Each structure stands twice: as C-alpha cells, then as structure tokens.
Amino acid sequence: MSRIGIAGAGAFGTALAIAFAQAGRQVTLWARDPGRAAEIRKTRETPYLDDIILPDTITVSGELADLGACDPVLLAVPMQTLSDVLTAHRERLNRGTLVACCKGVDLTTGRGPTAIIAETCPAAVPAVLTGPSFAADIARGLPTALTLACADPDTGARLQDGLSTPTLRLYRTTDTAGAELGGALKNVMAIASGIVIGTGLGESARAALITRGFTEMQRFARAYGAEAETLSGLSGFGDLVLTCTSAQSRNFRYGMALGQNAYFDPHITVEGAATARAVAAIATARGIDMPVTQSVAHVIDGRRSIEEAVRILLSRPLKEE
C-alpha cells in the first residue's frame, strides 16, 4: 500500500493518521483550512485531541492536491459535507479507493456515503470504515476494532491488510449497506439514550431504549437489503452500545442536553440529528415503523416535547418481542 491520505483533520481523521504513523505507515493529512494546517505543522498538536503530539512522519497539508500520491484516501469529513467536498475536488479524488469514515445519511438526498462516492467519483472504488470507536482512544493506541466494508472483496482484503495496525483491528465485510446504516442509525439511538438519562428516566429505561432501538435499526436496514449479521456486529450493535452509554459520544451528550434543557455548543457536529430527520422522512415515505427515530426527529425540530414523545412511546400497543 502506498502513502495513506486522510481528508479531514478533525478528531477522527487526526487520530487515524496518528495510529497509522505509529504503525510505520506514511500518511498525508489534509485540513480544509490552510491556516489550521499551518498551525498543526508548526505545533504538531491539534485542539481536538488533548495532550497528543503528531508523529513527524505525518505530513500535514492545506492543499488537497497533496493527496494525489495517496491510495487509499480516507474521507474523515462530516457526513453532511461529504458531497460538497467530493464535488469540489472531483478531479483530484475521482480515482483509486475512497474510504468514507463518516456516519450518517445525507439530509438532502437520503443517501449513504458509498452511494455519494459512486455518483460523484465513479472512477473510484468506495469503501466504509466504521464501528465502535472514540478518536481519543485510537490516538492513544488503545485497542479498537472496526468494520471495513467494501463491495469488492479483493479491494476490501487489501484495505484490511493495509489499514490494520497492532492496536487497530479491522474486520471485513462486503455488506456496505449494513455497515453504513448501523453507523448512521446508532447515532439517532444515542441521542434518544441521552434524552432518557438527561430527563432522569433511569438506567432501566435506557436499556429498554437500546434494545428496542436496535430492533428498529435492523428493521430499517433489512428494508435496504442489509444483512442481519452485519447489524449484529461491530458496525451495528457494537457501535450502538458504545455511543449509547458513554458521555464521550457527541450524540449522547446532545441528547442529555435536550433532556436537561441545557445549552449545547452548536459548533459541535452531531451527525445523529440530521440522520434522524432524513431517516424519519424515508421511513414515513416507505411505511417503515421507526417510532424512536420519529420521536427524536420531532423533538429536535420542536414539533413534540420530550414529555409528549415519552408518553406516545409508552402508550404504543403491547406486542410480542
């Protein structure tokens, strides 16, 4: 594998760059803001990861052209900006292998990352890297396991071998739909779990929410042809458990703030909010029963109070599990 390129110098992209560099890989990290790129080059630090120093083997650039010699290129940009980044830099990125590291569904088109890559950069092979992980853990070399999804098995095997490190273990699948949807939908459930805890409904309620939320995730994914085994793996159930139970999760913290009627920094990316809106609209159009997702979307948009959402969920008809 040649030099690894990473588009996006946020917490996750930078953490991956550090993990690869520490494993002896050559890495180029691109920051959209040239000023930020210059600052990182100078200090070898990032505001997103406290007390972490970037290895000297990471080349930090503010020019996307510097990713030209890289393959694969990992796209560590927010889901809602992925299409814009690919469109703006199509000439540079329409080749090789593009690995999406974002989780969610595009609010405008309702598409996942591999569909956006395929449409915008048809000459590139799309893949997805997803699963239960926090950037700080990856950057500090703590053991982490992720799912690498690629429809082409040979490319997937090459990526698995080239991107795995002694502390970053990748499991391979060809089910890109399942991996994408697991990573996207768990963020919605994390917001709901945060609301449960923030409102003071208790741990038992959170356990019930996670369980019923997982069923909801499987229901939606099956409607898109995803494999049940994928949702039961790292990119689905594993990621769901992590983000629904840890305050390191931005989506969980956002839900807690909603439940406590507290301030939440609007500059923090919360992928689950846009995903809830997009998936709720799709579910309504396709007749897929998604009560938790619908409730989260209604609460976020101010169309329903948290108290009303809880009352509606608890008054649903009893049925077999």
Side-chain angles (χ1 to χ4, degrees), residues 14-319:
T14 304
L16 288 173
I18 292 169
F20 297 144
Q22 289 175 338
R25 317 287 165 73
Q26 296 296 309
V27 183
T28 296
L29 177 66
W30 171 71
R32 284 181 289 176
D33 181 353
R36 174 170 292 170
E39 183 66 20
I40 295 173
R41 278 197 305 271
K42 177 182 177 181
T43 65
R44 308 306 296 180
E45 295 178 338
T46 172
Y48 299 109
L49 297 168
D50 295 335
D51 303 322
I52 296 291
I53 302 298
L54 275 66
D56 292 337
T57 50
I58 297 176
T59 300
V60 182
S61 175
E63 299 292 334
L64 192 128
D66 290 336
L67 297 181
C70 300
D71 188 29
V73 172
L74 278 62
L75 303 168
V77 298
M79 182 64 208
Q80 302 309 316
T81 66
L82 177 63
S83 181
D84 291 340
V85 170
L86 291 174
T87 300
H89 302 285
R90 181 186 286 114
E91 291 186 8
R92 302 283 187 183
L93 296 175
N94 190 22
R95 58 168 187 80
T97 307
L98 297 178
V99 184
C101 300
C102 44
K103 301 174 181 179
V105 175
D106 184 74
L107 185 57
T108 302
T109 64
R111 295 181 176 180
T114 56
I116 292 174
I117 292 172
E119 179 181 13
T120 312
C121 298
V125 178
V128 178
L129 184 63
T130 184
S133 57
F134 290 134
D137 292 348
I138 293 175
R140 288 179 169 81
L142 300 179
T144 303
L146 300 175
T147 295
L148 188 286
C150 184
D152 179 70
D154 292 335
T155 301
R158 177 176 62 85
L159 290 171
Q160 181 185 38
D161 181 64
L163 297 178
S164 292
T165 77
T167 58
L168 188 62
R169 185 176 179 86
L170 306 188
Y171 288 81
R172 189 176 74 251
T173 181
T174 57
D175 181 17
T176 56
E180 284 183 351
L181 289 173
L185 295 170
K186 61 88 185 179
N187 282 334
V188 180
M189 303 310 162
I191 293 175
S193 293
I195 291 173
V196 165
I197 297 303
T199 309
L201 295 178
E203 296 291 351
S204 297
R206 173 161 58 178
L209 183 283
I210 292 173
T211 305
R212 298 313 304 166
F214 182 56
T215 299
E216 192 167 303
M217 289 168 57
Q218 292 176 306
R219 185 183 304 128
F220 189 88
R222 283 196 301 268
Y224 274 81
E227 299 172 9
E229 293 81 0
T230 306
L231 270 293
S232 297
L234 291 165
S235 60
F237 182 72
D239 214 355
L240 176 69
V241 171
L242 182 69
T243 52
C244 287
T245 59
S246 174
Q248 289 190 66
S249 165
R250 292 169 296 183
N251 291 280
F252 179 79
R253 294 200 308 273
Y254 173 66
M256 279 195 67
L258 288 175
Q260 296 169 345
N261 195 26
Y263 172 79
F264 188 86
D265 186 349
H267 297 100
I268 296 177
T269 300
V270 180
E271 297 283 22
T275 299
R277 295 185 179 102
V279 171
I282 294 170
T284 298
R286 296 191 57 173
I288 305 171
D289 188 27
M290 302 284 285
V292 176
T293 300
Q294 296 283 6
S295 294
V296 170
H298 288 159
V299 168
I300 290 172
D301 289 338
R303 289 181 287 163
R304 185 174 292 168
S305 69
I306 291 176
E307 293 75 18
E308 183 182 9
V310 171
R311 179 182 58 77
I312 290 174
L313 287 174
L314 291 178
S315 64
R316 283 171 57 84
L318 298 174
K319 59 183 180 179

